[in-house]
Amino acid sequence: MTTRIATIVLALTVVVGACGDDTSVFDLAVGDCFDDPPSVADEVEAVTTVDCTQPHDNEIYFEYQMTEAVYPGREETMNLAATRCLAEFEPFVGMPYADSDLDLFPITPTAESWENGDRVVYCAIYALDLSKLTGSMRGAAR
């Protein structure tokens, strides 16, 4: 795992939820764009979604269901999610992660949400320089 991902994975264990409204993290979907929450927290219950044609901080580019029988723990969940998100980065963006000015972070289940049946991991993308994105990053090759 690269240093870029390791840093963001440790900094953002986000539990998030999609169009100018506060959306539950459990309601996010691929193609949703959203802004960062106003305060940094380990767990976020909702985010403000934005039409992707408008400036935004993040975009959900992939989602999948974890298949582990039991919650693997926070660190292992983040590692598994980061690995899968990294594998899906180039097919979405259109260039290798190492050459891109974009970064990623996984939005993962917590131990508590896992107990309630949550197995969804969302992969989100953002600009390394923290500038706003405009439009989808699908095929952006940047």
Side-chain angles (χ1 to χ4, degrees), residues 32-79:
D32 286 345
C33 295
F34 63 97
D35 284 329
D36 291 335
S39 62
V40 177
D42 279 349
E43 295 182 19
V44 176
E45 295 177 3
V47 294
T48 301
T49 56
V50 179
D51 187 297
C52 291
T53 61
Q54 301 300 312
H56 55 277
D57 297 321
N58 311 288
E59 177 181 357
I60 302 294
Y61 69 94
F62 185 74
E63 73 178 81
Y64 74 97
Q65 295 274 333
M66 294 184 74
T67 58
E68 289 71 16
V70 297
Y71 183 67
R74 179 178 173 175
E75 185 175 340
E76 183 63 13
T77 297
M78 292 303 293
N79 288 336

Side-chain angles (χ1 to χ4, degrees), residues 25 30 38 74 86 119 125:
V25 293
V30 171
R74 179 178 173 175
L86 181 60
R119 302 293 187 275
I125 200 165

